[in-house]
Amino acid sequence: MAVLGFRRSSNVFSLITIRAFCTHPFEYLHRKGFCSGSNELNGRDSILPVLIVGAGPVGLVLSILLTKLGVKCAVLEKSTTFSKHPQAHFINNRSMEVFRKLDGLAEEIQKSQPPVDLWRKFIYCTSLSGSILGSVDHMQSQDFEQVVSPVSVAHFSQYKISRLLLKKLETLDFHVRTCYDLEVFDRGQVGEREILMGHECLSVDATDDCLNVTASFSSGGQYKERTIQCGFLVGADGAGSTVRKLAGIELRGERDLQKLVSVHFLSRELGHYLLNQRPGMLFFIFNTEAIGVLVAHDLKDGEFVLQIPFYPPQQRFEDYTREMCERIIFKLVGHELADIDVLDVKPWAMHAEVAEKFVSGNKRIILVGDAAHRFPPAGGFGMNTGIQDAHNLAWKLASVLKGISPYSLIQSYEMERRPIAIFNTALSVQNFSAAMEVPAALGLDPSVANSVHRVINHAVGSVLPNGLQRGILDGIFILGRAQLSDFILNEKNPLGYSRLAKLRRIFDEGKSLQLQFPAEDLGFRYGDGAVIPNGNRKLYVPETPAGRRRDYVPSADPGARLPHMNVRALSNLFREDIFSTLDLVSGDKIEFLLIIAPVGPSYHLAHAAFKVAEEFKVSAKVCVMWPHGAADGVEVGSEEALSPWKNYIDVVEVKQRLASSSWWDICQMTSRGAILVRPDEHVAWRVKSSVFGDPTAEMRTVFSTILGVKSAHA
């Protein structure tokens, strides 16, 4: 049997072979023992279980998660070096929770990032040394109290995240192979725990047993190819994903929402000035000479990225020389800088697209991160959504490769993550539209500029000489920026007064660009996939994205992320060791967590869960949640009630305030209920009160559905 094969050469993709899958591929694979309990694939030296293409944060996070779960993997990276461009820089709550499971990565980021007071604001001004039009503080008191999460958001550049991830991989015995040492390795089989730099994917062909991935690389000054056999191929190779193109997967959505030129530069002089005078993360600058958005990646080191609106072909990227970029920066700063160092200038386009499929090739080719979805940067959902893709996928790949689940479990990755990507796309577009409210209030409606640009390119303007086209566009921009003159934009001018008043309303009502979305960040929920829906079995429909900050309301509904609450182990009542309910979920093995109260029927359910988990060859852990104050001064525990099972923990609620809600109130349940949590910290199943009927039969149904495996007792 053979399958689809595509080959990439000189940016042209051509179909080489097309041969059909067997009618029932899962049955065939199971017959072969490919995903049976023998753990054959993960133990065969000739076939790498998982090959990840792309060594950005998403690919690196996935490689760490898989390795911690005991899955062999390797990474291919097209570039010969790791990028030093700051790129993404905002890490949301949920991603920081994932990083907490990567051996203290979240703590390292928090120690290394700039102090929160230096980046909590967005500042709108006429120049960096001129008048401030307004500012928005994006941090609220509850963001620091760690009531809804054990960790806060962070501001930390993408290339710095990659550095820390590489250090984590080094401790896991990963090795980075660069073009300088590939000569030694170009003849050997690609082994586990390798990151091969300078390797570009050319083709993917599938056989009965594996995928054959052909990659090109340079060794000893010669162009060479190597074929790598793998069980799964994961495309984490960014917005222009080669894996996605080889798999023939299309993107759906809006393209070219905005084109920009990105200028990465250093200036300690500017950094120290802003540090002392007006610290912030983003600076939106509007004056008669230039318009741009400055991202302050690190004020102390003076590292910045300037985003400039770009309108090709009338504006040519070749004109954005380092000298021209310096002049634009000086106009936006308000004066010249003595130490400016422009490191990199590159164009990019803003898209809002989601792949039509996340899983292809008989469930063996999988897309994660920007390869699967491309968002506007508004709200920082791109990298964060990708990290959460990896977190969702890792335990499912491990379950299949360890013979616990069939290949059908992989499809649940797409069922769960694609709706989240679609939702986050809409939210990002809404937030981007909110960003446009500010220039529109100042008389600089971006839709007008975009409409003129379209007319010039696609209507009567397209027949005009290039020079005249550019002149018309420049004239429109000059006329638009004239609205920002001191003559117009002041309180004494009726027009200026009206515009400034409208601007204040936008800021006061939270209608400008937002940084945090707690309800969407922590409150996203999987409505279908490896979850047991609520009893009414109605399809979960998320709220329509509002484009504004909304508070997160904890939920223990199936598919939701497990609510956070501080607890303490009953065995350590006299110590100050406090941890989160999220810490009860293991990051090093495929283990399901059952949370119960210390009541008789729940103990019976725990016995059933232990027994059934053993049948399904997965680990189960029980957490017995004791109410705040219930165990004070009394020696209690569940040893007798749970004997002979040993993998359990008794914990007691730790309330920040006496008036705080109890655990079961937070979960909107009674203490006779129970919650089963997946390895990715999402609720797989819950019952609000006691299980009716046989608890063992109920647990068999639950594990069978979640893992996609028929029980021998069915």
Side-chain angles (χ1 to χ4, degrees):
M1 179 184 73
V3 296
L4 295 177
F6 295 86
R7 186 174 185 84
R8 181 179 187 271
S9 179
S10 302
N11 294 320
V12 176
F13 295 85
S14 58
L15 183 64
I16 322 179
T17 60
I18 302 180
R19 285 163 285 178
F21 283 111
C22 63
T23 307
H24 302 289
F26 167 66
E27 292 178 4
Y28 180 86
L29 293 170
H30 225 72
R31 254 193 342 263
K32 292 274 290 183
F34 195 51
C35 58
S36 68
S38 65
N39 194 20
E40 181 180 334
L41 183 60
N42 205 38
R44 285 170 59 179
D45 293 333
S46 60
I47 299 178
L48 183 71
V50 180
L51 178 64
I52 301 166
V53 179
V58 175
L60 297 179
V61 165
L62 180 60
S63 62
I64 294 174
L65 292 171
L66 288 174
T67 302
K68 288 170 70 68
L69 290 171
V71 173
K72 297 177 181 179
C73 62
V75 183
L76 299 187
E77 170 54 47
K78 179 180 177 180
S79 299
T80 55
T81 58
F82 291 98
S83 173
K84 293 184 179 179
H85 195 284
Q87 295 173 289
H89 57 93
F90 178 66
I91 311 173
N92 68 18
N93 247 159
R94 187 63 186 130
S95 293
M96 286 294 282
E97 289 178 351
V98 174
F99 287 166
R100 288 179 78 246
K101 293 298 179 75
L102 303 187
D103 303 319
L105 178 62
E107 289 79 3
E108 290 183 53
I109 290 172
Q110 287 182 314
K111 285 189 295 186
S112 303
Q113 71 168 344
V116 175
D117 285 344
L118 300 184
W119 55 264
R120 60 192 293 171
K121 291 183 179 180
F122 290 176
I123 296 175
Y124 298 80
C125 54
T126 57
S127 75
L128 294 177
S129 55
S131 301
I132 292 180
L133 301 170
S135 68
V136 179
D137 187 344
H138 291 281
M139 300 297 288
Q140 299 180 6
S141 58
Q142 61 262 39
D143 297 328
F144 303 100
E145 294 171 357
Q146 298 184 348
V147 173
V148 298
S149 176
V151 66
S152 299
V153 299
H155 172 47
F156 200 62
S157 299
Q158 182 171 317
Y159 76 94
K160 295 179 181 178
I161 296 172
S162 292
R163 282 181 190 169
L164 294 181
L165 290 170
L166 287 168
K167 287 183 180 179
K168 297 297 178 187
L169 285 164
E170 284 178 17
T171 64
L172 295 173
D173 295 325
F174 267 76
H175 300 280
V176 178
R177 309 297 188 193
T178 66
C179 57
Y180 300 105
D181 56 12
L182 280 177
E183 284 186 65
V184 180
F185 296 96
D186 65 355
R187 294 174 190 166
Q189 175 69 30
V190 174
E192 62 171 312
R193 307 193 189 202
E194 289 187 348
I195 302 174
L196 301 183
M197 306 299 292
H199 275 62
E200 182 175 7
C201 238
L202 295 178
S203 67
V204 181
D205 296 294
T207 68
D208 292 349
D209 295 323
C210 66
L211 297 170
N212 292 316
V213 179
T214 301
S216 65
F217 64 101
S218 177
S219 176
Q222 292 183 319
Y223 171 90
K224 297 183 179 181
E225 293 183 6
R226 65 153 35 105
T227 298
I228 305 162
Q229 292 186 316
C230 63
F232 289 97
L233 176 66
V234 180
D237 48 343
S241 173
T242 297
V243 172
R244 185 183 68 235
K245 294 170 184 174
L246 290 175
I249 299 174
E250 299 290 335
L251 291 169
R252 305 293 183 205
E254 296 182 73
R255 293 183 56 82
D256 298 331
L257 293 174
Q258 178 74 63
K259 289 186 171 67
L260 301 107
V261 170
S262 177
V263 184
H264 180 202
F265 71 96
L266 302 176
S267 173
R268 284 184 178 270
E269 178 187 343
L270 178 60
H272 290 166
Y273 166 75
L274 294 174
L275 194 67
N276 294 313
Q277 298 298 321
R278 50 180 71 172
M281 177 192 285
L282 297 185
F283 297 83
F284 299 82
I285 312 162
F286 308 94
N287 63 48
T288 57
E289 294 188 277
I291 293 172
V293 179
L294 185 73
V295 185
H297 282 267
D298 194 321
L299 291 177
K300 183 179 178 182
D301 291 338
E303 183 173 26
F304 302 92
V305 172
L306 174 64
Q307 305 290 359
I308 308 167
F310 178 47
Y311 293 87
Q314 290 77 26
Q315 293 181 344
R316 299 184 308 162
F317 174 67
E318 295 76 20
D319 293 337
Y320 286 83
T321 61
R322 278 172 164 74
E323 293 75 18
M324 179 181 175
C325 291
E326 286 182 7
R327 290 196 297 272
I328 294 173
I329 292 168
F330 295 159
K331 291 174 182 176
L332 295 170
V333 172
H335 58 78
E336 293 190 3
L337 300 169
D339 66 343
I340 189 168
D341 182 11
V342 175
L343 302 177
D344 189 26
V345 183
K346 59 184 181 182
W348 66 282
M350 191 184 298
H351 307 294
E353 298 178 301
V354 177
E356 59 183 355
K357 293 188 292 185
F358 285 17
V359 176
S360 181
N362 202 23
K363 302 179 182 64
R364 289 193 272 176
I365 300 175
I366 306 162
L367 303 180
V368 296
D370 286 356
H373 39 71
R374 310 196 291 189
F375 310 142
F381 283 96
M383 180 182 69
N384 289 298
T385 305
I387 289 166
Q388 292 148 34
D389 289 343
H391 194 223
N392 180 288
L393 178 63
W395 75 271
K396 296 175 181 178
L397 281 173
S399 294
V400 172
L401 289 164
K402 291 176 178 292
I404 296 168
S405 297
Y407 269 65
S408 58
L409 181 64
I410 301 301
Q411 195 61 42
S412 72
Y413 162 72
E414 177 180 308
M415 294 167 68
E416 294 178 351
R417 292 304 301 169
R418 190 168 182 273
I420 302 299
I422 292 171
F423 183 92
N424 286 350
T425 302
L427 184 55
S428 298
V429 170
Q430 282 198 0
N431 203 26
F432 173 66
S433 298
M436 298 299 101
E437 291 292 322
V438 171
L442 295 172
L444 291 170
D445 192 341
S447 63
V448 174
N450 292 333
S451 297
V452 171
H453 189 232
R454 282 194 296 271
V455 169
I456 292 174
N457 283 326
H458 304 295
V460 292
S462 61
V463 301
L464 299 175
N466 291 338
L468 185 55
Q469 290 183 27
R470 181 165 186 169
I472 293 172
L473 197 63
D474 288 345
I476 293 293
F477 293 155
I478 292 171
L479 184 63
R481 291 196 302 270
Q483 306 299 308
L484 303 168
S485 67
D486 292 338
F487 173 74
I488 295 177
L489 204 61
N490 70 79
E491 297 283 354
K492 294 181 180 179
N493 184 309
L495 180 59
Y497 177 85
S498 173
R499 287 175 174 174
L500 291 172
K502 184 176 181 180
L503 196 61
R504 285 192 292 271
R505 286 197 301 273
I506 289 172
F507 295 145
D508 292 344
E509 295 172 8
K511 293 181 179 179
S512 61
L513 179 71
Q514 298 296 298
L515 177 65
Q516 288 206 67
F517 293 89
E520 290 79 7
D521 172 7
L522 297 174
F524 68 87
R525 178 181 158 201
Y526 302 136
D528 196 12
V531 295
I532 310 293
N534 282 324
N536 56 23
R537 299 213 168 250
K538 287 184 179 178
L539 183 65
Y540 166 69
V541 179
E543 290 186 48
T544 302
R548 301 188 199 179
R549 175 172 176 144
R550 296 187 302 194
D551 289 336
Y552 160 70
V553 178
S555 170
D557 285 344
R561 160 257 198 200
L562 177 70
H564 154 73
M565 184 180 195
N566 284 327
V567 295
R568 182 184 288 120
L570 281 184
S571 57
N572 295 326
L573 275 181
F574 300 105
R575 296 172 57 185
E576 292 301 316
D577 294 339
I578 295 174
F579 52 93
S580 169
T581 47
L582 295 170
D583 296 326
L584 295 166
V585 182
S586 173
D588 299 329
K589 56 184 173 181
I590 303 170
E591 181 176 80
F592 287 80
L593 172 72
L594 182 69
I595 302 177
I596 61 171
V599 295
S602 294
Y603 281 125
H604 295 320
L605 182 66
H607 276 268
F610 278 128
K611 177 183 177 182
V612 172
E614 200 171 66
E615 292 174 10
F616 282 86
K617 302 175 185 176
V618 293
S619 175
K621 179 179 181 179
V622 169
C623 168
V624 184
M625 183 73 70
W626 294 78
H628 177 77
D632 288 355
V634 181
E635 187 174 338
V636 295
S638 301
E639 182 177 3
E640 183 177 347
L642 290 177
S643 179
W645 308 102
K646 301 294 185 183
N647 194 22
Y648 69 89
I649 181 171
D650 287 290
V651 302
V652 63
E653 302 171 355
V654 176
K655 291 188 177 182
Q656 292 188 329
R657 295 178 295 271
L658 287 177
S660 299
S661 298
S662 71
W663 168 252
W664 299 108
D665 286 339
I666 289 173
C667 296
Q668 301 173 38
M669 298 169 58
T670 71
S671 61
R672 300 184 72 82
I675 301 169
L676 186 69
V677 187
R678 306 187 322 190
D680 62 354
E681 299 168 358
H682 280 258
V683 176
W685 166 87
R686 68 94 187 267
V687 59
K688 286 193 171 186
S689 56
S690 300
V691 170
F692 295 103
D694 181 4
T696 301
E698 177 70 16
M699 284 292 97
R700 283 195 183 114
T701 300
V702 168
F703 277 95
S704 174
T705 304
I706 295 166
L707 296 171
V709 181
K710 288 184 178 180
S711 169
H713 296 269

